[in-house]
Amino acid sequence: MNTAIFAIVAYLIGSISFAVVVSRVVGLSDPRTYGSKNPGATNVLRSGNKGAAIATLIGDAAKGWFAVWLAILLAPKFGVGTAGIALVAIAVFLGHLWPVFFRFVGGKGVATALGVLIGINVWLGLATLATWLAIAYAFRYSSLAALVASIFAPFYYGLLFGINELFFAVLAMSSLLLYRHSQNIANLMAGKESKIGSKSAEAKK
């Protein structure tokens, strides 16, 4: 029962879409209506408002970190084991992808996944972030960086901690990230993918 409660709370935390919330606060159009129509930091950046994009990135990453951190903190008190922590990691990520507060239209999960990884272990998160940064700097494609980082994340976890329940949680997140980027993969192959920093005329009201 406690494990189920942990997972439900994590899902609700993940369902807070900072891209939508921040855009409303600063007066930008709903990020689900322009650019890639993805409510995430990269699409908010297309509005030209870097502050809103940074706030979105921090918020989405923070909720992933907070859900896992809180679960790890409270797990011993409520008898929740490693499998429960793994379920929390997946639940907060699923909340971002399919948020109950926003008609189940969510983002692709890159920032939230990073937050989850940092919550599991800071070195795991930093290694994955370094991979994202290296690819993004070299090629200027956020989606390509996310794809490469998501492939390496389970490898990093296995290298650092071996195979356990959390490894499979990381693997599940990586698989979902690849699935959510299927259109980006097609765009990359067709040479139609937008680079980091490209703006959308539809973003401002």
Side-chain angles (χ1 to χ4, degrees):
M1 177 62 75
N2 288 337
T3 297
I5 293 172
F6 272 41
I8 291 170
V9 171
Y11 171 77
L12 294 176
I13 291 172
S15 289
I16 303 170
S17 177
F18 281 91
V20 177
V21 172
V22 170
S23 293
R24 288 178 182 175
V25 169
V26 302
L28 297 175
S29 296
D30 190 321
R32 295 169 295 181
T33 64
Y34 64 83
S36 66
K37 295 181 171 56
N38 173 59
T42 300
N43 202 37
V44 173
L45 184 60
R46 292 189 175 99
S47 70
N49 191 321
K50 293 182 180 179
I54 292 171
T56 298
L57 177 65
I58 293 173
D60 282 344
K63 70 184 181 184
W65 166 82
F66 178 71
V68 174
W69 172 82
L70 186 64
I72 292 173
L73 178 68
L74 298 178
K77 181 177 180 181
F78 291 95
V80 175
T82 303
I85 303 300
L87 186 59
V88 164
I90 294 173
V92 68
F93 184 69
L94 291 176
H96 179 80
L97 300 188
W98 294 286
V100 67
F101 303 133
F102 297 92
R103 300 181 180 180
F104 303 101
V105 179
K108 294 176 182 175
V110 177
T112 301
L114 174 62
V116 168
L117 295 177
I118 292 173
I120 293 172
N121 181 272
V122 66
W123 294 112
L124 172 65
L126 290 176
T128 307
L129 175 60
T131 302
W132 189 96
L133 289 171
I135 301 300
Y137 179 80
F139 298 100
R140 307 297 297 172
Y141 288 111
S142 175
S143 57
L144 180 61
L147 291 167
V148 175
S150 66
I151 291 171
F152 273 85
F155 169 76
Y156 292 145
Y157 186 93
L159 186 65
L160 289 169
F161 309 109
I163 307 299
N164 57 21
E165 293 94 334
L166 281 167
F167 169 82
F168 290 107
V170 174
L171 183 63
M173 286 195 304
S174 295
S175 299
L176 284 168
L177 276 167
L178 293 173
Y179 166 72
R180 294 287 282 190
H181 282 81
S182 56
Q183 184 58 54
N184 300 93
I185 294 172
N187 289 341
L188 284 165
M189 293 178 67
K192 297 179 180 179
E193 184 71 351
S194 298
K195 291 192 173 185
I196 295 173
S198 60
K199 296 182 181 180
S200 173
E202 302 167 301
K204 296 183 179 181
K205 293 183 178 178

